[in-house]
Amino acid sequence: MGRRGGSRGFTLAELLVALAVVGVVLLTLTGLLQHGEQVYLFGTSRLEAHQNARVALDRLGRELRGAGIDPRGIGFPPLVNPTATGFTIQNDLNGDGVIAGNPETITYSLRGRTLRRNAGGGAQPLIDDVEFLAFTYLDADGNPPQTPGEIRTVLISITTGPRGPGAGVTMTTQIRLRNR
């Protein structure tokens, strides 16, 4: 018996149109998912850069504020070898009047894209992905010091983050040495 009154299947043209519509919808969803993933990765890398900068400034700030512990009043400089990307902190922690190695000296230095801290166990990485780091030293009047012993304030500017446009985070702070 033959069919009467309409067909129960799809024509080839209807099937091709349906496949085209489904294909466009899938391509759009794929693009949205890829964009969402890129935004997520950008956000997480920016968050990590922000946390790295905070860790560095917190640690540097704590140790710089305490630099120059001098219970005998010998008058040694709290910072030695000050450069734009590093310095060495001096403290007489045991009160013997001599700055003798660990842990009485702590050296910070930028090597490549890694800020390192050496308190006697070798230059251990403090944070990675440092794009820019600058230490500026000031005397009591806010001028560049003539000698390391005149340093009273350290300005720190750091930019951390993965390589790429807009991914870095810049933070700055001003640290006053308490023991001077």
Side-chain angles (χ1 to χ4, degrees):
M1 182 150 118
R3 289 187 174 167
R4 288 195 282 174
S7 76
R8 295 189 181 254
F10 295 103
T11 65
L12 181 60
E14 290 171 332
L15 186 59
L16 289 176
V17 169
L19 285 174
V21 169
V22 168
V24 168
V25 168
L26 288 176
L27 283 174
T28 303
L29 288 175
T30 301
L32 287 172
L33 287 173
Q34 287 176 340
H35 180 70
E37 181 182 14
Q38 289 171 348
V39 168
Y40 171 77
L41 291 175
F42 178 79
T44 56
S45 66
R46 199 139 157 96
L47 176 64
E48 184 178 349
H50 194 87
Q51 288 174 333
N52 280 344
R54 280 184 177 269
V55 164
L57 291 180
D58 181 57
R59 185 71 175 259
L60 285 163
R62 260 186 290 128
E63 290 186 344
L64 279 168
R65 280 185 198 94
I69 295 173
D70 187 7
R72 291 193 174 194
I74 295 174
F76 60 84
L79 300 179
V80 292
N81 305 320
T83 67
T85 58
F87 54 82
T88 299
I89 295 172
Q90 296 190 118
N91 289 303
D92 184 10
L93 298 176
N94 59 9
D96 66 357
V98 178
I99 306 300
N102 313 324
E104 294 185 327
T105 62
I106 302 169
T107 301
Y108 282 94
S109 61
L110 180 64
R111 293 190 193 153
R113 290 177 49 94
T114 302
L115 177 60
R116 296 184 174 274
R117 177 183 180 272
N118 186 351
Q124 302 298 316
L126 181 61
I127 62 167
D128 292 318
D129 291 330
V130 176
E131 292 180 17
F132 174 78
L133 176 66
F135 297 109
T136 305
Y137 308 96
L138 303 174
D139 63 14
D141 297 323
N143 300 314
Q146 300 299 314
T147 66
E150 296 174 351
I151 296 172
R152 297 296 178 267
T153 302
V154 180
L155 305 175
I156 306 169
S157 180
I158 187 167
T159 301
T160 62
R163 291 186 172 117
V169 172
T170 300
M171 292 185 166
T172 58
T173 191
Q174 178 175 327
I175 307 296
R176 172 96 166 97
L177 281 63
R178 291 184 184 152
N179 296 314
R180 296 299 160 163

